[in-house]
Amino acid sequence: SASPLWDADGWIVPRPGGARQDGYLFADGGDFARPLREFVRLAGRIPMPPRAVLGAWFSTYWPFSSRDYLAILRRFQREGMPLDFLVLDVDWHTNGWQGFDWNRRLIPHPDGFLRKARALGVRISANDHPSGPFLPRDSRYDEVCRRLGWDGERIPRTEIPEMHLVPAPVRRLAARARRRPIAFTLSRRGEAEAFMEVLHEPLRRQGVDVWWVDGQARSDVPGLDPMAWTNHVFRDGTERASGATTWIN
């Protein structure tokens, strides 16, 4: 078994070295429901998804404006077609492939837009690329650095897989800037908490219901599945902040 372990504080730690194999034996003793209960204790509860998740979603990769989105929602209503979710693809924000500032050219008044969309009966999902890069020009960059005790000029240079997808002018500015782009390593608790609390929580409070987790963040724990762990960080962080069962897409 190569997967990491949970520590006493509820975070992952590397498994000690050496050849080990986990084994589990479930014995019912005539109580046939007991093994199922024991399995849930081991693997975790599987929450019942809200009905809206099983409904209709609208998602198209196109630089829609808030006016476009609202027109689409009204068209659904006129045609008598149910719609549960509106998905905002990457152009909802600025700063390249990963950003947390609203694209005011397309969505100049995000609070009003979200309020009107909700009044039309939909929930909001927004795209995020957790592999980065998180650029110094983002308005929350300084807050992330303060939270983690980082100096933006001394952040270690890391290979950011999706840097080539950032628009060329932004990429050139980032290369010349003294402060460096960040690729979050979500297996580190401090980075995971800053990632959710500084970058995502303000948008959840603003009206983003669900995150479209489009990719995976870095991990430095051997045996950890980066995609599964990225999903866990999003779901767990959102649930702790909201106090309600949530989900990701």
Side-chain angles (χ1 to χ4, degrees):
S1 300
S3 58
L5 305 174
W6 294 102
D7 66 14
D9 296 322
W11 199 254
I12 45 168
V13 293
R15 185 179 289 266
R20 293 177 174 85
Q21 179 65 49
D22 292 342
Y24 304 96
L25 173 64
F26 298 93
D28 58 70
D31 179 358
F32 302 118
R34 180 179 176 183
L36 298 177
R37 293 194 297 270
E38 294 296 321
F39 177 78
V40 167
R41 287 184 59 194
L42 173 68
R45 289 191 171 277
I46 303 171
M48 182 70 71
R51 292 183 64 184
V53 175
L54 306 178
W57 298 55
F58 178 86
S59 175
T60 300
Y61 182 29
W62 189 259
F64 289 117
S65 68
S66 53
R67 181 175 295 181
D68 295 329
Y69 278 127
L70 293 174
I72 290 167
L73 297 181
R74 293 183 181 115
R75 176 69 183 275
F76 269 87
Q77 283 199 337
R78 287 199 307 273
E79 299 294 339
M81 296 179 64
L83 185 65
D84 294 281
F85 271 91
L86 175 65
V87 182
L88 312 181
D89 213 317
V90 64
D91 291 296
W92 73 266
H93 64 72
T94 58
N95 299 327
W97 211 238
Q98 183 187 44
F100 299 91
D101 292 329
W102 287 95
N103 185 340
R104 300 283 177 160
R105 181 177 62 84
L106 295 176
I107 306 176
H109 307 291
D111 288 324
F113 162 64
L114 294 172
R115 185 171 59 251
K116 291 175 182 177
R118 283 181 171 280
L120 290 167
V122 297
R123 304 185 190 190
I124 304 297
S125 175
N127 176 273
D128 181 25
H129 290 88
S131 60
F134 179 57
L135 299 177
R137 62 189 292 175
D138 195 283
S139 65
R140 294 184 175 91
Y141 180 91
D142 289 336
E143 187 176 353
V144 168
C145 288
R146 285 194 297 270
R147 173 74 175 264
L148 295 172
W150 288 352
D151 181 336
E153 297 181 30
R154 294 184 172 84
I155 294 173
R157 294 191 184 277
T158 55
E159 184 66 26
I160 299 177
E162 295 185 351
M163 191 68 177
H164 68 286
L165 298 172
V166 174
V170 177
R171 198 164 59 242
R172 287 194 292 269
L173 284 173
R176 293 196 299 267
R178 291 183 303 170
R179 299 189 300 172
R180 298 173 181 171
I182 295 172
F184 288 95
T185 303
L186 295 187
S187 54
R188 300 173 184 170
R189 190 167 197 163
E191 291 187 39
E193 291 176 347
F195 183 72
M196 293 305 300
E197 294 170 11
V198 177
L199 300 179
H200 294 84
E201 175 58 12
L203 292 158
R204 186 197 67 81
R205 291 198 304 266
Q206 196 173 14
V208 175
D209 297 288
V210 176
W211 288 101
W212 170 8
V213 184
D214 198 354
Q216 64 191 36
R218 291 154 43 91
S219 165
D220 61 358
V221 174
L224 180 66
D225 182 329
M227 186 73 256
W229 184 254
T230 299
N231 290 342
H232 170 80
V233 167
F234 270 88
R235 183 174 178 273
D236 183 66
T238 303
E239 285 197 350
R240 283 190 290 106
S242 66
T245 299
T246 188
W247 63 98
I248 57 176
N249 70 302

